[in-house]
Amino acid sequence: PLKIASLRFPSLPAIQGTVSASIFLIALVTNSSATMINLMISAECENVAKIGVEPGHTFFLRLRCTQCQEETANAVGVSREMNVEGIRGASVNLQIKCKGCGRSHDISFDADTPDGEWESSGPEAQRLASFECRGMDPFECEVRDGFVVIAPDGSKFEDVDLSDEWMDVDNKGNPVSISNVRTEFMSAKSGGKKKKK
């Protein structure tokens, strides 16, 4: 949509007579404005201090077009290491063309916000990643491998697959387990819940 704001100044004196000056400020706002969305994670844990991901982790998202509501049939992988030209010419992490309306949309990780992690001392659901979405919103995240788990004694487990119940032991021989992993998307601005898995 086109938004026009006008600023009108009072008549200004001149050497001969007076003149009226009007300044019109025009701002164009395109339909590709970004929506900030947080990916939240929660799980049932035993002897777990933190759950996170390594830099460059690939998230597998199912997406929905905000124009025609068409949904991707399969999850689409996106990571910070992916870089393509977006609909505005800037570098983005994913560009995708909607099969329903034919429009091109893009998604990027929030450059100002690093990936988060779940901590045992925090609330049930905690932010894992933040996405800047233009035209396509994620509504489901497929939980696969690539997670990093830290036990209270500092034991670190890498490339953990959380698509099913996971169990191991820490350096002291204590059992470590994660099950019933859930993801949901929430608006980064309003905190409103988007979609739960």
Side-chain angles (χ1 to χ4, degrees):
L2 177 66
K3 294 184 178 180
I4 302 178
S6 65
L7 301 175
R8 185 174 296 275
F9 291 85
S11 298
L12 301 175
I15 296 177
Q16 294 180 347
T18 60
V19 295
S20 294
S22 296
I23 297 178
F24 295 94
L25 181 63
I26 301 177
L28 290 174
V29 180
T30 69
N31 62 2
S32 58
S33 57
T35 300
M36 300 302 302
I37 296 178
N38 288 337
L39 169 62
M40 313 294 290
I41 186 172
S42 59
E44 296 178 7
C45 302
E46 179 185 5
N47 201 28
V48 172
K50 296 180 180 180
I51 304 173
V53 294
E54 293 284 5
H57 176 80
T58 299
F59 294 89
F60 291 90
L61 312 176
R62 289 197 63 202
L63 307 170
R64 180 183 294 119
C65 178
T66 59
Q67 300 295 322
C68 68
Q69 306 305 307
E70 179 79 9
E71 298 177 357
T72 56
N74 301 303
V76 180
V78 57
S79 77
R80 291 183 182 270
E81 295 180 347
M82 298 167 57
N83 288 287
V84 297
E85 183 176 334
I87 57 178
R88 289 186 169 183
S91 178
V92 298
N93 298 121
L94 174 69
Q95 185 183 98
I96 185 170
K97 187 174 183 179
C98 176
K99 292 184 177 180
C101 63
R103 298 191 182 193
S104 293
H105 308 301
D106 60 50
I107 294 179
S108 289
F109 288 83
D110 183 0
D112 298 325
T113 307
D115 293 335
E117 58 187 9
W118 180 93
E119 297 186 6
S120 59
S121 59
E124 180 181 359
Q126 300 177 48
R127 188 190 68 84
L128 189 60
S130 298
F131 300 97
E132 183 177 325
C133 308
R134 288 187 173 88
M136 276 272 189
D137 285 351
F139 67 92
E140 182 180 317
C141 177
E142 290 188 359
V143 177
R144 301 186 184 185
D145 56 5
F147 286 86
V148 178
V149 178
I150 306 295
D153 72 340
S155 301
K156 184 176 181 180
F157 306 88
E158 298 178 306
D159 197 23
V160 175
D161 187 345
L162 294 181
S163 60
D164 201 351
E165 183 177 5
W166 171 82
M167 300 179 66
D168 211 318
V169 294
D170 63 16
N171 294 332
K172 296 180 179 180
N174 299 314
V176 182
S177 67
I178 300 175
S179 61
N180 197 22
V181 176
R182 301 173 297 278
T183 60
E184 60 182 334
F185 291 97
M186 300 179 69
S187 169
K189 292 183 178 180
S190 66
K193 188 175 294 186
K194 298 289 289 185
K195 181 73 177 179
K196 178 183 271 189
K197 179 182 176 183

